[in-house]
RNA sequence: UGCCCGAUGGUGUAAUGGUAGCACAAACGACUCUGACUCGUUUUGUCUAGGUUCGAGUCCUAGUCGGGCAGCCA
């Protein structure tokens, strides 16, 4: 299905959108509220883009809202650096598309005590993300209400403090095909659990000494229902909550209640949480909460060919110095993709086109590359640049003469603009565009052959000059200036048209040529992804660029004609010393011999 | 081998009991001052076996294959 990347494009339907549309039709909720809940323990990657586009897409399609919430219940693994990078990545990805749906909260706000349906309740509503003094949501802002809910669970006999060690807890849990055993502490009184739970919070016990557990069913075929842990003791300060707590909730307990506190209607997550859904429902159902409960829906995460997205493995690439950092343009992180020049709109079109299902599939990189080229083809300014220069002397043009040629900036534009190019006696052409012994069907420069210099004129190769070692020094050609635009022979056809730059009116620049990081489609299929790293994923050349590129800014997207899409590296470029890099090559149907 | 989930061309998806369609990829052709773009043509598919039905990719049963689940991670 063709995907219109414009901000108003309708999204194709999928099973989750169908469910939500059904709820909207039934007027089940006054407003659709979703959330994107990353843990701040790493960088966002292309897989997260799918989740972000689904959750924000749902919100924008129904005039709803999507909260950015940090699922920060494990202080040992989390850092503010990640909070900041994730926030920036999300804003970048949805900018101009769903930023009006991004739900933030007033800075420092915690859930308020309210009354719902005559019952005491907690709630934390959103403010627009562009409101002054706003910030994302944090699960760690909910520790107080979460604690009160836990107390309620204990009072209701639905939770108890357990003194088993981690190892014992494991043994008691049993196995998927073998029922567990009940903890000896399972039946202690609510009063005793309450007292202990309070003292756990007060810091009376060391890490791991006791836990709070839900009292469900140790014989359940679903191991997540075998009295799962709700709280553990961790004497560690928290990056957002400070040193207020030494008692931290676990994911299953915190997540469903965080959803409830924010008034989430649809809690969309990936397939591995499917077996957790009964627990999600159990916790919310056990508390007699007064407002409508959120529900969890699961979809298959994105798998992309030639790519790995596991945070731990990505970190290995960084630590082993296989890449220069999390934002290396070869990384599948949002920071890396952004730095590489991939437009957010291309990423959105890609993940939208992939669809949403429960089938664990692997998407071919070609689909991603197509989305990028499709986007850039429409928007990128065309420029001429020569990556591997070969000197050409146009013997019938006097030295010092400058012939101005007009080049089109973007032929895809409805109203294309032009810019001048300097044609001079000496020019550079691409080494690939000359062959002394050409293969069959070679359209470019060959002995005695003709080729058009794009936007200029047709030239004929007269002489190949080599040094005594047999190395190519220069090509001497005759320019047919009557074939220039406006000339009498413009219409004369030759089979090949090549790019070029003036040798005297050009700019030298470092250009980084990136290729895929792995040379097999499923790098981790054998668990040895490091063995499949592509040793040629980066090639650095000193290229000759047309003079106008001196005015490039990191915001500009260029197509170097016949080569690919390039832009200024936003990190390593300095004024006067630009570094360009290749976002992606042009599709090449000419099979190299 | 306990429980949960899934299976439509090479890949990803659509079809909500009624003509198996789209995108990417591939092949061929047209066009071309980018071997790009665009356009045209073509190849390739409902996991298996039963059942329900006038009619099944869709519903039911069984099987096969694949994925997930036994962190005091999320």
């Amino acid at each position: 299905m063709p995907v219109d990347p414009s901000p108003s494009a309708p999204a194709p339907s999928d099973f989750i959108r169908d469910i939500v549309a059904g709820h909207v039709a039934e007027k089940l909720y006054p407003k659709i509220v979703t959330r994107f809940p990353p843990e701040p323990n790493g960088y966002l990657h292309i897989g997260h883009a799918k989740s972000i586009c689904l959750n924000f897409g749902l919100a924008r399609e129904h005039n709803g809202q999507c909260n950015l919430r940090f699922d920060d219940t494990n202080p040992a693994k989390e850092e503010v650096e990640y909070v900041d990078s994730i926030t920036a990545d999300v804003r970048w990805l949805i900018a101009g598309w769903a930023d009006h749906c991004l739900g933030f909260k007033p800075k420092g706000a915690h859930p308020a005590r309210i009354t719902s349906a005559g019952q005491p309740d907690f709630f934390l509503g959103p403010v627009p993300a562009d409101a002054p003094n706003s910030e994302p949501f944090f699960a760690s802002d909910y520790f107080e209400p979460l604690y009160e809910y836990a107390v309620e669970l204990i009072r209701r006999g639905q939770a108890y403090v357990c003194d088993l060690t981690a190892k014992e807890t494991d043994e008691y849990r049993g196995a998927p095909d073998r029922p567990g055993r009940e903890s000896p502490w399972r039946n202690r009184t609510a009063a005793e659990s309450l007292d202990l739970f309070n003292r756990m919070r007060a810091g009376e016990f060391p890490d791991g000494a006791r836990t709070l557990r839900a009292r469900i069913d140790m014989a359940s075929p679903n191991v997540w229902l075998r009295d799962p842990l709700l709280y553990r003791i961790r004497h560690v300060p928290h990056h957002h909550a400070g040193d207020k707590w030494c008692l931290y909730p676990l994911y299953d307990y915190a997540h469903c209640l965080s959803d409830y506190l924010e008034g989430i209607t649809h809690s969309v997550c990936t397939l591995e949480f499917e077996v957790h859904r009964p627990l999600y429902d159990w916790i919310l159902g056990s508390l007699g909460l007064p407002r409508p409960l959120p529900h969890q829906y699961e979809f298959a995460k994105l798998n992309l060919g030639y790519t790995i997205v596991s945070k731990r493995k990505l970190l290995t690439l960084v630590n082993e110095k296989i890449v220069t950092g999390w934002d290396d343009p070869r990384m599948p992180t949002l920071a890396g993709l952004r730095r590489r020049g991939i437009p957010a709109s291309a990423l959105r079109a890609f993940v939208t086109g992939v669809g949403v299902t429960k089938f664990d599939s692997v998407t071919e990189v070609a689909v991603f590359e197509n989305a990028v080229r499709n986007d850039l083809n429409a928007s990128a300014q065309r420029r001429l640049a020569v990556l591997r220069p070969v000197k050409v002397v146009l013997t019938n043009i006097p030295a010092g003469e400058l012939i101005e040629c007009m080049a089109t900036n973007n032929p895809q534009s409805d109203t294309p603009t032009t810019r001048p190019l300097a044609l001079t006696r000496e020019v550079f052409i691409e080494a690939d565009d000359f062959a002394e012994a050409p293969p069959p069907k070679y359209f470019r420069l060959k002995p005695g052959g003709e080729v058009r210099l794009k936007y200029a004129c047709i030239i004929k190769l007269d002489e190949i000059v080599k040094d005594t070692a047999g190395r190519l020094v220069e090509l001497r050609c005759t320019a047919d200036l009557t074939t220039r635009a406006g000339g009498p022979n413009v219409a004369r056809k030759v089979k090949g048209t090549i790019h070029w730059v003036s040798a005297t009116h050009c700019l030298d620049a470092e250009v980084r040529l990136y290729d895929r990081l792995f040379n097999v489609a499923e790098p981790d299929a054998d668990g040895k992804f490091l063995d499949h790293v592509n040793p040629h994923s980066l090639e650095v050349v000193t290229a000759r660029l047309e003079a106008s590129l001196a005015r490039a800014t990191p915001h500009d997207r260029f197509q170097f004609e016949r080569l690919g899409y390039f832009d200024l590296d936003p990190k390593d470029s300095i004024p006067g010393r630009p570094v360009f890099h290749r976002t992606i090559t042009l599709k090449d149907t000419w099979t190299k011999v």
Side-chain angles (χ1 to χ4, degrees):
Chain A
M1 182 182 294
V3 175
D4 183 346
S6 73
S8 59
S13 93
D14 56 62
F15 81 100
I16 290 182
R17 274 182 240 259
D18 288 348
I19 290 168
V20 175
H23 292 164
V24 169
E26 291 170 50
K27 299 187 179 355
L28 204 56
Y29 305 100
K31 182 167 122 178
I32 298 303
V33 186
T34 58
R35 101 267 92 110
F36 175 63
E39 183 188 14
N41 70 343
Y43 278 68
L44 256 27
H45 54 66
I46 192 164
H48 293 113
K50 179 177 180 181
S51 176
I52 292 169
C53 290
L54 212 210
N55 279 297
F56 282 91
L58 249 16
R60 70 185 281 281
E61 286 149 29
H62 298 287
N63 293 314
Q65 149 206 336
C66 178
N67 293 351
L68 171 59
R69 177 173 78 227
F70 287 100
D71 223 336
D72 55 350
T73 55
N74 186 358
K77 290 188 171 181
E78 299 154 5
E79 294 172 27
V80 254
E81 177 202 343
Y82 297 124
V83 170
D84 296 340
S85 74
I86 289 170
T87 305
D89 288 345
V90 170
R91 283 185 179 275
W92 170 73
L93 186 58
I94 67 170
W97 175 71
D99 23 17
H100 59 291
C101 301
L102 175 57
F104 269 27
K105 65 166 177 89
K107 197 168 176 61
H110 287 62
R113 287 178 199 277
I114 61 168
T115 303
S116 302
Q119 262 184 258
D121 194 14
F122 289 101
F123 182 72
L124 182 57
V127 294
D130 54 8
N133 229 8
S134 62
E135 65 178 354
F137 291 84
F138 291 85
S140 56
D141 286 330
Y142 311 154
F143 286 172
E144 192 61 52
L146 255 29
Y147 182 87
E148 291 190 28
Y149 286 132
V151 166
E152 178 61 22
L153 242 22
I154 296 169
R155 283 205 188 102
R156 289 170 180 246
Q158 310 267 51
Y160 61 95
V161 169
C162 179
D163 299 358
L164 252 27
T165 64
K167 194 160 175 283
E168 289 167 336
T169 306
D170 259 7
E171 290 161 4
Y172 274 73
R173 185 160 32 233
D177 58 349
R178 173 165 46 84
R181 282 183 295 144
E182 295 186 350
S183 161
W185 311 101
R186 193 175 204 260
N187 293 316
R188 75 165 133 216
T189 63
E192 190 182 353
S193 278
L194 238 24
D195 172 61
L196 254 12
F197 189 51
N198 219 302
R199 290 163 57 194
M200 285 162 69
R201 175 179 183 169
E204 288 189 27
F205 312 113
D207 286 4
R210 291 183 220 268
T211 58
L212 183 75
R213 295 233 250 164
R215 181 189 273 107
I216 308 181
D217 177 9
M218 288 308 291
S220 171
N222 181 342
V223 293
W224 289 101
L225 259 21
R226 320 242 266 224
D227 289 11
L229 272 64
L230 269 22
Y231 274 91
R232 81 295 220 182
I233 298 170
R234 285 279 174 277
H235 290 266
V236 193
H238 188 281
H239 62 92
H240 183 77
D243 53 8
K244 210 174 159 195
W245 294 86
C246 62
L247 181 64
Y248 292 98
L250 279 118
Y251 166 84
D252 287 294
Y253 179 71
H255 200 90
C256 54
L257 286 165
S258 300
D259 285 343
Y260 174 78
L261 290 170
E262 294 174 22
I264 301 300
T265 55
H266 301 265
S267 185
V268 180
C269 62
T270 47
L271 249 27
E272 65 266 32
F273 293 102
E274 212 162 12
V275 287
H276 295 239
R277 188 177 353 121
L279 179 53
Y280 184 103
D281 293 335
W282 183 92
I283 293 168
L284 293 176
S286 299
L287 284 162
L289 299 164
R291 281 181 294 116
L293 302 181
H295 290 281
Q296 177 182 302
Y297 307 89
E298 311 87 11
F299 69 96
K301 67 174 183 291
L302 176 72
N303 296 296
L304 230 206
Y306 294 92
T307 306
I308 55 166
V309 289
S310 141
K311 279 180 192 170
R312 189 180 60 76
K313 287 164 193 155
L314 256 19
L315 181 62
T316 304
L317 295 175
V318 174
N319 289 342
E320 300 284 317
K321 305 261 191 271
I322 290 164
V323 295
T324 56
W326 285 100
D327 66 348
D328 185 296
R330 290 165 293 185
M331 290 283 270
T333 51
L334 296 189
L337 296 167
R338 177 172 61 227
R339 183 172 165 198
R340 184 169 136 198
I342 308 284
S345 51
L347 216 36
R348 279 188 250 122
F350 165 63
V351 296
T352 305
V354 162
V356 179
T357 66
K358 299 185 77 155
F359 180 58
D360 186 24
S361 60
V362 182
T363 298
E364 292 181 343
V365 253
V367 181
F368 170 68
E369 294 174 341
N370 176 261
V372 176
R373 292 189 182 110
N374 203 28
D375 190 294
L376 257 11
N377 178 47
S379 59
Q381 298 282 299
R382 307 295 114 128
R383 291 293 183 269
L384 298 188
V386 175
L387 265 21
R388 297 172 183 86
V390 167
K391 189 195 280 183
V392 171
V393 180
L394 302 172
T395 51
N396 58 327
I397 296 179
E401 181 166 335
L402 189 156
I403 300 169
E404 191 175 86
C405 304
M406 295 309 283
T408 306
N409 287 322
N410 186 343
Q412 308 287 322
S413 160
D414 295 333
T415 53
T417 55
T418 58
R419 67 185 187 286
L421 243 31
L423 176 65
T424 53
R425 178 179 171 86
E426 295 193 346
V427 301
F428 291 113
I429 67 166
E430 202 70 60
D432 272 0
D433 288 337
F434 162 70
E436 190 167 3
K441 287 193 181 169
Y442 186 80
F443 298 162
R444 290 109 91 165
L445 239 208
K446 52 190 167 190
E450 283 188 318
V451 83
R452 179 177 280 278
L453 296 184
K454 182 141 193 181
Y455 303 123
C457 62
I458 294 173
I459 62 169
K460 180 168 195 269
L461 176 54
D462 303 316
E463 188 188 352
I464 300 166
V465 181
K466 293 183 178 175
D467 64 15
T468 50
R471 284 182 304 248
L472 183 61
V473 173
E474 62 183 32
L475 302 171
R476 298 179 75 82
C477 297
T478 312
D480 179 355
L481 297 171
T482 67
T483 59
R484 291 180 56 210
N489 294 320
V490 228
R492 188 150 82 83
K493 304 281 185 217
V494 285
K495 196 67 185 165
T497 298
I498 64 172
H499 57 277
W500 57 279
V501 295
S502 162
T504 43
H505 294 71
C506 70
L507 176 70
D508 280 13
E510 175 178 337
V511 176
R512 298 174 183 170
L513 305 174
Y514 293 110
D515 196 359
R516 52 186 58 148
L517 238 194
F518 294 98
N519 45 32
V520 296
E522 297 187 45
D524 202 39
D526 58 1
K528 292 186 277 190
F529 68 100
L530 288 176
D531 290 356
H532 306 299
V533 170
N534 174 9
H536 309 296
S537 62
L538 169 62
E539 183 185 358
V540 181
V541 297
T542 300
R544 312 280 184 151
L545 316 180
E546 70 166 77
S548 72
L549 252 3
R551 296 188 296 274
T553 73
H555 192 65
D556 297 323
R557 293 289 173 274
F558 300 107
Q559 181 195 102
F560 290 177
E561 296 210 39
R562 301 209 312 130
L563 294 172
Y565 296 95
F566 293 75
D567 68 347
L568 215 46
D569 187 282
K571 200 168 175 178
D572 293 345
S573 292
I574 51 174
R577 207 192 80 87
V579 175
F580 282 86
H581 58 218
R582 183 171 67 198
T583 303
I584 192 167
T585 61
L586 245 32
K587 191 154 81 176
D588 185 10
T589 47
W590 162 251
T591 42
K592 298 216 161 62
V593 181

